Amino acid sequence: MDATIRELLDLVVRWVHLIAGIMWIGNSLLFNWLDRNLTPLAQPKEGVEGEIWLLHSGGFYEVEKKQLAPSQMPAKLHWFKWQNAATWISGILLLIIVYYMGGAAYMVDPSVADISAGAAIAIGVGVLIISWFVYDLLWRSPLGENTPLAFAISFILLLATVYGLSRVLSGRAAYIHVGVILGTLMTGNVWLHVMPSQRALVAATKAGKPQDRALAYRAKQRSIHNNYMTFPLLFIMVSNHFPSTYGNQLNWLILGILMLAGAAIRHFMNIRFWYGGWLRALFGTALVALALVFFLIARTKSPASAAGGAPIAFADARAIINRRCVVCHSATPTDNQFTVAPSGVTFDTPEQIQSRADRIKERAVVSKTMPLGNKTGITDEEREILGRWIDQGANIR
């Protein structure tokens, strides 16, 4: 497929994905918030668990949560399901367009594992399928009745998956596949647990039968799972903008810390109405997680190039950039995938190179996340020369 067409598809599908994701996650957060803010009625009514008054857009809203009596089905009932379907489908399409098409350029990093594009795609698809079955079997089993234990096992398995993927795929691809795993688990919960339980509750009510409370519990359990996966998933969705995380030697551990912190922050937000110290705990968790991530990134950075030694001429640095970078980062790229310079960054003139010197060092020398997948075959010696030239002042004269 032509690179321009693929870019336009990326734009349209990503836009849909963003809109649908906002709608789905927004609904999820709203309903969990409602559950934790309901207050008992001043005059109790049979079947009503609580109510809440809301003010929005110039109007007052009264919301009640109730269990319907047999045959008490309202004429109009709103379901919330298509936002999830649109989010997941557009996410899978994005995975195919960005990562699987175009020779899977984002998938393979020879410095991580020398595998073919086909093998990388097969690993990505296989892990998605296996992850759902393992997760679902775990929470259906007797272990699922012990929530803390099942959560601990789930997180260990997820961390092991992150570690495994980071050893066969590029760091960026490993991160995004973990995000797609979480999105797939959440979607499976909606369509294979929450929706069937809700359909059974509606069918029982229409048939004049009492509702099975076990069905409501099962739907709520999986909905809560989705609630805790939300913040980790949101980070992964934007992680490609932060190469210091996915490009780090300990990228699997960094992601594990951020996912655990995200779930913990969501937990403190969930329990704030009966735990007075929730805000301190939330900020404390965030600060500890950020401190750990900063420590790991700082500790595992590639050694800084020494500014001393023989001076590096700009001509030598520019020759490397012309061979390894200008293929993509030019007003007229020659790469078969990038027909437009990524992020609009070009290195056609000495001034353009000098203005991006710090960024070049971070991406090409320190994190080594550029060139993408080392497609142009830059060597460690060349990275060292670039680093020394930048450390010596990035002089272009």
Side-chain angles (χ1 to χ4, degrees):
M1 180 183 292
D2 181 78
T4 302
I5 296 176
R6 189 167 63 248
E7 183 177 353
L8 289 175
L9 282 176
D10 183 355
L11 168 63
V12 173
V13 177
R14 192 179 298 271
W15 199 354
V16 171
H17 186 60
L18 179 62
I19 293 170
I22 290 172
M23 295 170 66
W24 174 34
I25 293 172
N27 283 336
S28 174
L29 296 180
L30 174 61
F31 277 97
N32 277 276
W33 181 87
L34 286 173
D35 279 342
R36 287 164 176 78
N37 281 271
L38 293 171
T39 58
L41 274 65
Q43 299 293 329
K45 291 191 296 186
E46 184 177 356
V48 178
E49 297 183 7
E51 69 171 356
I52 186 171
W53 283 88
L54 307 171
L55 176 63
H56 189 268
S57 61
F60 295 90
Y61 297 80
E62 180 184 14
V63 179
E64 290 184 345
K65 181 177 181 179
K66 60 173 62 179
Q67 297 300 322
L68 298 180
S71 302
Q72 197 184 5
M73 181 58 59
K76 184 69 174 178
L77 183 65
H78 295 278
W79 293 55
F80 296 86
K81 54 184 178 181
W82 297 116
Q83 298 96 326
N84 163 257
T87 304
W88 187 78
I89 291 171
S90 59
I92 294 297
L93 289 176
L94 270 180
L95 181 69
I96 294 171
I97 293 168
V98 177
Y99 287 87
Y100 293 173
M101 296 174 66
Y106 287 114
M107 294 284 289
V108 179
D109 184 344
S111 67
V112 175
D114 189 13
I115 59 176
S116 66
I121 293 171
I123 290 170
V125 174
V127 168
L128 294 181
I129 297 171
I130 293 171
S131 295
W132 164 254
F133 284 106
V134 171
Y135 162 78
D136 193 47
L137 287 173
L138 170 63
W139 284 94
R140 284 177 181 267
S141 73
L143 288 173
E145 298 176 6
N146 186 333
T147 300
L149 177 60
F151 166 77
I153 295 174
S154 298
F155 181 74
I156 291 171
L157 290 174
L158 180 61
L159 191 60
T161 302
V162 176
Y163 179 82
L165 288 174
S166 71
R167 292 299 176 269
V168 291
L169 304 180
S170 71
R172 175 171 169 170
Y175 270 37
I176 206 66
H177 276 80
V178 174
V180 178
I181 287 172
L182 294 178
T184 300
L185 299 186
M186 295 169 75
T187 300
N189 284 338
V190 170
W191 290 91
L192 300 179
H193 289 278
V194 176
M195 295 300 298
S197 296
Q198 291 182 165
R199 290 192 188 99
L201 293 174
V202 170
T205 303
K206 287 182 176 179
K209 300 177 181 179
Q211 298 174 357
D212 184 352
R213 300 300 299 154
L215 291 175
Y217 170 79
R218 191 176 308 140
K220 191 63 182 176
Q221 181 193 52
R222 295 301 180 108
S223 179
I224 291 174
H225 287 191
N226 287 3
N227 180 257
Y228 279 92
M229 290 187 227
T230 299
F231 285 7
L233 177 57
L234 287 174
F235 164 72
I236 294 173
M237 286 175 66
V238 299
S239 64
N240 63 296
H241 296 289
F242 306 100
S244 59
T245 59
Y246 69 77
N248 192 275
Q249 299 171 22
L250 296 176
N251 51 13
W252 64 275
L253 183 56
I254 290 172
L255 182 56
I257 292 171
L258 292 175
M259 288 194 299
L260 187 61
I265 288 170
R266 186 68 209 143
H267 176 69
F268 291 123
M269 294 175 70
N270 287 338
I271 67 172
R272 65 185 181 273
F273 299 107
W274 59 84
Y275 175 54
W278 72 274
L279 193 57
R280 292 191 299 274
L282 185 154
F283 279 108
T285 299
L287 288 174
V288 169
L290 290 175
L292 286 173
V293 169
F294 180 81
F295 171 77
L296 291 175
I297 291 175
R299 183 177 182 181
T300 56
K301 273 189 174 182
S302 300
S305 302
I312 302 297
F314 172 62
D316 294 331
R318 187 175 190 180
I320 295 171
I321 292 172
N322 286 341
R323 285 197 304 271
R324 311 304 187 187
C325 309
V326 174
V327 173
C328 298
H329 290 286
S330 170
T332 55
T334 57
D335 184 77
N336 58 3
Q337 181 182 11
F338 296 102
T339 57
V340 178
S343 302
V345 175
T346 58
F347 298 137
D348 294 319
T349 68
E351 290 75 19
Q352 290 173 335
I353 295 172
Q354 186 182 52
S355 68
R356 297 278 184 170
D358 289 343
R359 192 65 175 161
I360 292 172
K361 181 176 180 182
E362 179 62 32
R363 299 298 300 273
V365 181
V366 178
S367 67
K368 298 183 179 180
T369 53
M370 282 291 170
L372 182 63
N374 201 8
K375 188 175 183 179
T376 57
I378 189 171
T379 66
D380 288 339
E381 291 74 19
E382 289 172 327
R383 295 184 194 274
E384 172 70 16
I385 291 171
L386 284 177
R388 287 174 57 197
W389 170 71
I390 294 168
D391 288 343
Q392 291 170 2
N395 197 330
I396 60 175
R397 299 188 184 280

